[in-house]
Amino acid sequence: MTRPGAAVLPLLLLLATPAAALEPAEVVDAFEGAGGRITTFRPSHAKGVCAAGEFTPTAEGTRLSVAPTFAGAPVPATIRFGVAGATPRASDVARTTRSLAIRFETAAGDQWDMANISAPIFGARTPEMLVAGLRARRAGPNGQPADPAAVAAFVAANPQSTRQAAWLGQRMPPASFATTPYWGVNAFRFQGRDGEVRHARWVFEPAAGEQRLTEADAARLGPDFLAAELRARVAQAPVAFDMVLQFPAAGDDVTDPTVAWPADRPRATVGRLVVTAVEPGPGGACDPISFLQLDQEPGVAFSDDPVLQGRAAPYAEALSRRTTPR
Ligand code: HEM
């Protein structure tokens, strides 16, 4: 989890990407085709607000992972809450995902990034499926909507890609950034201090409990209330989330992020994230960085989930496009 020097990063990203994988530029081109050319905003979860806080592992966390973040001392965190979509004008009342991205940084300088969403599943089984879906949703010339026939053909050929939208469609959106669970979605290999390696997925559960909008709330609050609500809430008292691991049983697929494991699987609370400050407006420490989930540390190593393995390199490519004049 130690952040590599700039010279080492491209090599690490190359190693993180399977040989036959898509080029990171092809993946980000597909995001731009569907969502528009990247200027300064992220191509995914473009709308967001920076925050800061601290993560304190539990004794169980220290037992279950040798990673520096779980060593015992509180770890400062750079945080970004976001709303799904390619535009900073995305609606806060849309039935899409909200997000919680975190960079942990220990006193010794070890960094660990993650980007979590308010759904337990993802909308693609592989990076190739994600890119095919984005290509099917490519905007027409002069901002015309995507070709409905291409979208229908993609959906018919890739039914797994509809599971996340179906899950979200069955629920009202969160009432606050502070009142929804955020799932890591992908499985990881946790190496414990006992030498055991255990597959696990994580979720950040809100200490405030899960609360969703009513239809009347959504109409009253409108498309842009989440950041201000979070600022007001944190000004009153810190907002907390418990990080909980879920362990698979025999037969649970650790490589498929479109399927959630049954709720009765064993769980362990491994730490608490406390959000103590929210930026007063746009910008902040989370803006010029990307939450690059790199596979560098045996304490929380990648599983064989191809989606997880396909993430870091396109995130770096998107960061480069949104921070370099083009
Ligand atoms: C192959 C799979 C994936 C690809 C290619 C991909 C691609 C991207 C890209 C290019 C960005 C913008 C990064 C930036 O500009 O800094 C992004 C952001 C994001 N992605 Fe993914 N993603 C993938 C899978 C996932 C999964 C499985 C999740 C769910 C946990 C997820 C959650 C997020 C979140 C929350 C953000 C916004 C992070 C922030 O606030 O900075 N992505 N993704």
Side-chain angles (χ1 to χ4, degrees):
M1 286 179 225
T2 308
R3 181 112 322 225
V8 188
L9 191 59
L11 178 63
L12 279 166
L13 292 172
L14 196 67
L15 293 174
T17 311
L22 293 153
E23 291 295 327
E26 287 179 87
V27 178
V28 180
D29 286 349
F31 274 95
E32 288 196 319
R37 187 176 159 86
I38 298 170
T39 53
T40 55
F41 294 103
R42 286 155 170 77
S44 177
H45 296 260
K47 184 179 191 177
V49 60
C50 294
E54 194 172 73
F55 179 80
T56 306
T58 60
E60 190 67 341
T62 305
R63 186 178 78 81
L64 287 167
S65 175
V66 299
T69 297
F70 293 103
V75 178
T78 301
I79 297 166
R80 183 173 185 271
F81 289 92
V83 180
T87 165
R89 290 176 301 285
S91 172
D92 290 356
V93 297
R95 294 197 188 199
T96 56
T97 54
R98 310 293 169 264
S99 53
L100 168 65
I102 309 168
R103 170 170 291 179
F104 305 97
E105 184 159 2
T106 66
D110 289 289
Q111 290 184 348
W112 177 30
D113 293 353
M114 56 171 65
N116 310 295
I117 54 172
S118 61
I121 50 178
F122 192 54
R125 173 74 180 85
T126 60
E128 289 73 16
M129 189 186 289
L130 174 68
V131 167
L134 289 165
R135 287 180 177 156
R137 292 175 176 82
R138 187 179 178 84
N142 305 319
Q144 299 287 311
D147 174 7
V151 177
F154 169 78
V155 166
N158 299 278
Q160 288 155 305
S161 70
T162 62
R163 288 179 188 155
Q164 188 198 63
W167 191 93
L168 291 163
Q170 287 156 11
R171 293 161 176 80
M172 285 298 286
S176 163
F177 278 133
T179 65
T180 175
Y182 295 94
W183 285 266
V185 177
N186 302 120
F188 290 78
R189 290 186 175 94
F190 278 71
Q191 189 187 335
R193 266 157 228 278
D194 54 4
E196 281 279 308
V197 177
R198 304 168 177 89
H199 275 105
R201 286 173 168 171
W202 62 70
V203 57
F204 283 79
E205 295 195 330
E210 190 173 338
Q211 289 159 31
R212 296 183 174 275
L213 297 171
T214 61
E215 294 285 1
D217 293 335
R220 177 173 53 82
L221 292 164
D224 201 20
F225 70 95
L226 281 173
E229 195 278 346
L230 186 69
R231 281 185 201 107
R233 191 183 277 259
V234 173
Q236 295 296 313
V239 158
F241 297 88
D242 286 318
M243 183 178 181
V244 177
L245 299 189
Q246 185 195 31
F247 303 99
D252 291 341
D253 192 342
V254 298
T255 70
D256 186 352
T258 69
V259 177
W261 299 335
D264 64 357
R265 299 295 183 251
R267 289 153 51 97
T269 302
V270 292
R272 173 167 272 217
L273 177 74
V274 178
V275 182
T276 52
V278 184
E279 276 294 321
C286 76
D287 245 19
I289 64 169
S290 186
F291 295 87
L292 291 176
Q293 178 81 65
L294 292 167
D295 187 19
Q296 286 183 255
E297 177 76 28
V300 189
F302 277 16
S303 67
D304 293 336
D305 178 346
V307 166
L308 175 59
Q309 298 181 0
R311 289 179 72 175
Y315 284 48
E317 173 68 18
L319 174 68
S320 155
R321 291 190 193 187
R322 65 184 166 79
T323 53
T324 315
R326 306 161 65 208

